[in-house]
Amino acid sequence: MTLPLQKSRIQSIDLLRGLVMIIMALDHSRDFFHAATNSGIDPLDFAKTSPILFLTRWITHFCAPVFVFLSGTSIYFVSQRKTKQEVSQFLLTRGIWLMIMELTIVDIGWVFNLRFSYVVGAVIWVLGLCMIVLALLIHLPRNILFIVALLIVFGHNLLDPIDAGVTDTLGGFVYSVMHVPHEFKIDEGHRFLLLYPLIPWVGVMALGFIFGELYKSSLDAARRKKILLMLGSGCIALFILLRSKDFYGESLHWKTQSTGIFTVLSFINVTKYPPSLLYLLMTIGPAMLFLAVTENWRSNIAQVIITYGRVPFFYYLVHIYLLHSIAYILFLTSGHHLSEIIVQNNFGSELPSGFGVHLWQTYLLWIGAVVLLYFPCRWYNNYKSTHTNWWLSYL
């Protein structure tokens, strides 16, 4: 029996969120530890990458869209316990809070640079921005909101032809906030990279909000599973169809490569910044299939993963500082000195080029970091479950 939303968390959603948080740490471990990455090698560049390096980066493509989508679903659950006015106020204040956190605490964790010479508006930034917009959108009739979200997600690639014209002007900044990543020069010593624009992420969050209706207590689990299987399979089928024709939804065309495996990788190599329609279909589709088959999954491993999924923002903050600290420990214990640290005025590591370890060692460090993260996450999850302080909903 499915319990009412206000009395029960949906474990499969926490499980999926926890899994993508673990996978996210792999990508960031590669950023901090992998020697080739630190030397500027793009894992998606077929002239320089290997299949395992490509897939190490590619698998992490699932993280941002699933996280934003499920954030919308979580907002739906909140809306079942509060009035629309209360939800709007919460979204507005939490959205502003997240954007401030991105530009301060999160960015410091990434570069350990208190001068803020290079600031990035990334996934936490866009989560906050989407929440602010959703604070208004939730007042729309549900069917209208659904149509608006679909139009945003399926139609935003029509803007691609004008993306290249963004300049360091107020108009350019506004358009960049809306749709295209761009690096803005504030002055000689400060730059701002807007990496995650609003469109189509706000559409993804709005669809996640609508998606929450599948978890109403009036809908039985068997019916929900059928719907999830149809939706997930439909997204994947549409991705394959559009990608094979290669005429809409992706600006990066796939090509026949030197080997069969690289040709397959070219087929699934789609644009993340901003996320193309095919990128979203490729990631959200399998996520729905995962939810369909794991709703009744109960195991010790599942409970561990769920722990991460119940404290996502806390996990995000702690994992950045933990990984960066481990990178410094590796750096200093391998014979380097603090004098070699580079004060960056661009998007990249402040550790010198060439520093790092092999990919297999990066995987070991990733696993070790995830294990370490379990203990503070378990503590914080237990604390949240036994306390009702207002600030807990912001962390």
Side-chain angles (χ1 to χ4, degrees):
M1 177 183 296
T2 303
L3 297 175
L5 292 174
Q6 65 269 26
K7 295 182 180 180
S8 174
R9 293 187 67 99
I10 310 300
Q11 291 208 56
S12 57
I13 289 178
D14 286 332
L15 179 63
L16 176 57
R17 186 186 291 112
L19 182 61
V20 299
M21 299 301 285
I22 291 172
I23 294 173
M24 176 192 66
L26 172 60
D27 194 38
H28 298 161
S29 295
R30 182 186 57 79
D31 287 331
F32 282 118
F33 308 140
H34 188 217
T37 299
N38 198 39
S39 298
I41 293 178
D42 181 359
L44 303 181
D45 182 352
F46 292 116
K48 300 179 180 178
T49 193
S50 64
I52 185 62
L53 179 56
F54 178 97
L55 291 172
T56 300
R57 170 57 175 159
W58 178 84
I59 190 64
T60 64
H61 281 348
F62 286 81
C63 301
V66 172
F67 191 66
V68 174
F69 186 83
L70 293 184
S71 294
T73 306
S74 295
I75 294 166
Y76 173 83
F77 295 155
V78 173
S79 74
Q80 302 306 290
R81 305 190 301 268
K82 299 178 181 292
T83 66
K84 283 189 176 181
Q85 187 61 37
E86 290 172 332
V87 176
S88 287
Q89 183 176 351
F90 169 72
L91 289 174
L92 180 62
T93 55
R94 190 161 196 258
I96 293 172
W97 164 249
L98 288 176
M99 294 176 75
I100 292 173
M101 289 292 286
E102 174 77 275
L103 301 180
T104 54
I105 304 301
V106 173
D107 275 350
I108 291 173
W110 276 112
V111 296
F112 286 175
N113 180 3
L114 293 176
R115 292 190 241 178
F116 296 99
S117 58
Y118 199 84
V119 179
V120 181
V123 66
I124 302 302
W125 159 280
V126 84
L127 273 172
L129 187 57
C130 287
M131 286 182 180
I132 293 171
V133 176
L134 198 62
L136 300 174
L137 293 180
I138 62 171
H139 293 278
L140 293 173
R142 198 60 52 87
N143 290 341
I144 299 299
L145 176 58
F146 181 52
I147 293 171
V148 169
L150 285 177
L151 288 174
I152 291 173
V153 171
F154 280 83
H156 80 280
N157 281 115
L158 295 173
L159 298 172
D160 290 347
I162 59 175
D163 283 354
V166 175
T167 58
D168 289 358
T169 62
L170 178 59
F173 179 76
V174 172
Y175 185 69
S176 180
V177 168
M178 295 300 294
H179 190 251
V180 60
H182 187 73
E183 180 180 295
F184 293 90
K185 180 180 178 181
I186 301 173
D187 56 37
E188 290 301 323
H190 297 86
R191 294 178 182 272
F192 174 56
L193 174 61
L194 206 159
L195 191 58
Y196 279 70
L198 178 65
I199 302 172
W201 292 114
V202 67
V204 174
M205 183 176 284
L207 287 178
F209 181 83
I210 300 294
F211 178 79
E213 294 201 3
L214 288 180
Y215 289 89
K216 282 185 173 180
S217 58
S218 58
L219 187 65
D220 66 88
R223 175 62 177 161
R224 177 168 48 251
K225 182 175 182 178
K226 290 181 180 179
I227 295 173
L228 288 171
L229 289 173
M230 288 189 296
L231 288 173
S233 300
C235 287
I236 295 171
L238 185 56
F239 165 78
I240 294 173
L241 175 64
L242 291 175
R243 190 57 167 157
S244 62
K245 301 300 182 182
D246 214 6
F247 70 95
Y248 180 74
E250 176 56 56
S251 59
L252 183 62
H253 302 297
W254 69 279
K255 299 177 182 178
T256 301
Q257 302 292 321
S258 57
T259 65
I261 182 62
F262 274 136
T263 299
V264 173
L265 298 183
S266 178
F267 190 85
I268 62 174
N269 185 28
V270 289
T271 304
K272 181 178 181 179
Y273 305 110
S276 67
L277 169 61
L278 295 194
Y279 173 92
L280 295 172
L281 291 172
M282 181 187 73
T283 52
I284 298 298
M288 290 184 177
L289 296 182
F290 182 89
L291 289 173
V293 300
T294 60
E295 182 158 343
N296 297 313
W297 187 26
R298 302 290 185 270
S299 69
N300 291 334
I301 294 176
Q303 293 307 310
V304 170
I305 298 173
I306 285 171
T307 299
Y308 299 116
R310 287 182 173 173
V311 290
F313 187 49
F314 176 84
Y315 173 100
Y316 187 88
L317 289 177
V318 175
H319 102 282
I320 293 173
Y321 281 86
L322 174 62
L323 293 178
H324 206 163
S325 298
I326 293 173
Y328 263 65
I329 292 172
L330 287 174
F331 178 73
L332 295 175
T333 56
S334 60
H336 294 278
H337 303 281
L338 289 176
S339 60
E340 299 176 61
I341 298 296
I342 305 167
V343 178
Q344 289 284 43
N345 195 26
N346 56 51
F347 190 43
S349 173
E350 76 278 20
L351 301 177
S353 176
F355 163 75
V357 299
H358 296 293
L359 188 60
W360 69 269
Q361 293 170 309
T362 298
Y363 269 82
L364 291 179
L365 289 167
W366 162 58
I367 294 171
V370 169
V371 171
L372 287 176
L373 286 165
Y374 174 74
F375 299 99
C377 287
R378 183 181 63 179
W379 167 82
Y380 185 60
N381 180 46
N382 291 336
Y383 184 87
K384 285 185 68 176
S385 64
T386 56
H387 294 75
T388 57
N389 310 69
W390 66 269
W391 54 267
L392 289 173
S393 60
Y394 289 82
L395 181 59

